[in-house]
Structure formats: structure tokens, C-alpha cells
Amino acid sequence: MFKNDFSLTEVEALQSWNDEHSAFIKYGTYEGKPMWLIYGADGERIAATDSREFAFIVAKQNDLEPHSVH
């Protein structure tokens, strides 16, 4: 199971989109490595990859609309 990397305020902001078809792409650290992280609208991490482009592809392949967050 993935650990949630967002603060409570950030999760509330993501949930305010109220769009289960959105994915959020954020640069961060996963298992000690800098990675592009893919999250669902509920703030739950879906996947991690070392390529921003591939993160967007993964989201789209899962019928999600990717959005970049900082």
C-alpha cells in the first residue's frame, strides 16, 4: 500500500475537484528516489515513474485526465 504524500490541506484541495476521473502528477520522492508520482483525486498515490511524460501516459491509459500539481 502506498503512503499518502499530501498534507490534509492538499488532499482537501484535490477532493474539492470532485472529479474521480482526474489524476494529479507531482514531482516527489518515492523509496528514496526522485520520481513523478501519480495520484487519484482522493489523494491516494496510484503509481510512480521516473518520467513526467510517462506519468501522463499512465494516467491517460487508465482513463484519467492528468493535471500537474506543485
Side-chain angles (χ1 to χ4, degrees), residues 23-67:
F24 299 96
I25 313 298
K26 178 180 179 181
Y27 193 71
T29 304
Y30 178 68
E31 295 185 350
K33 300 176 195 171
M35 306 278 289
W36 289 96
L37 308 169
I38 306 164
Y39 294 89
D42 61 356
E44 185 69 27
R45 188 172 335 128
I46 297 169
T49 180
D50 59 357
S51 166
R52 182 178 187 271
E53 182 178 297
F54 189 65
F56 277 75
I57 290 169
V58 168
K60 289 178 182 180
Q61 286 179 337
N62 286 283
D63 297 323
L64 299 170
E65 182 63 33
H67 303 278

Side-chain angles (χ1 to χ4, degrees), residues 2-49:
F2 292 120
K3 179 182 165 195
N4 189 327
D5 294 320
F6 287 103
S7 69
L8 181 57
T9 304
E10 289 172 318
V11 170
E12 289 171 346
L14 295 178
Q15 290 173 340
S16 73
W17 283 59
N18 196 25
D19 184 359
E20 63 189 42
H21 301 290
S22 287
F24 299 96
I25 313 298
K26 178 180 179 181
Y27 193 71
T29 304
Y30 178 68
E31 295 185 350
K33 300 176 195 171
M35 306 278 289
W36 289 96
L37 308 169
I38 306 164
Y39 294 89
D42 61 356
E44 185 69 27
R45 188 172 335 128
I46 297 169
T49 180

